[in-house]
Amino acid sequence: MKGLVYNNGELAGYLQKDSGGQYSFEYEELYFADPQKKAISLTLSKSQRMHLSNELFAFFFGLLSEGVNKDIQCRALRIDENDHFRRLLATAGEDTIGAITVKPE
């Protein structure tokens, strides 16, 4: 599964979960090369193009709903409440807090 990560509507990078459950975030080549483009978060700096994690990056986890809204989304979309990546791809494509959106590839 792969998500396209946008910063104010501009493609900034790619978020992926591999078959082993490892997550990667990779800045898009032109976005990474442009020193005027800011990192999408302090924890996903542009000091390196690729970031790896065994869990969904905290920055992206912070874009997810919690509590009753989480329950409603999971029921409506038929997504396991523990499948944070699928939920992110299904719900973070439009109205998120801040400039970052994530859309399925």
Side-chain angles (χ1 to χ4, degrees):
M1 296 177 91
K2 191 173 190 178
L4 305 175
V5 179
Y6 294 88
N7 186 358
N8 285 316
E10 181 178 1
L11 181 62
Y14 310 95
L15 179 64
Q16 191 165 346
K17 181 179 181 182
D18 68 21
S19 59
Q22 185 172 43
Y23 294 90
S24 63
F25 172 74
E26 181 177 11
Y27 279 101
E28 191 278 328
E29 186 176 346
L30 294 175
Y31 190 95
F32 182 75
D34 187 340
Q36 300 298 321
K37 306 288 184 199
K38 303 283 187 205
I40 63 164
S41 82
L42 294 174
T43 58
L44 296 166
S45 72
K46 283 181 64 183
S47 62
Q48 61 191 56
R49 186 168 174 207
M50 173 78 77
H51 297 265
L52 301 172
S53 177
N54 291 323
E55 299 176 356
L56 181 61
F57 297 94
F59 173 76
F60 292 111
F61 190 82
L63 297 176
L64 296 172
S65 295
E66 298 175 331
V68 173
N69 288 337
K70 172 186 172 182
D71 296 339
I72 291 168
Q73 287 176 341
C74 290
R75 272 196 306 268
L77 299 170
R78 294 189 168 116
I79 297 174
D80 181 329
E81 66 182 39
N82 295 313
D83 191 343
H84 307 305
F85 190 67
R86 281 193 58 222
R87 196 159 53 95
L88 180 73
L89 293 181
T91 63
E94 297 297 327
D95 294 323
T96 60
I97 295 175
I100 303 301
T101 54
V102 183
K103 300 179 181 187
E105 183 178 52

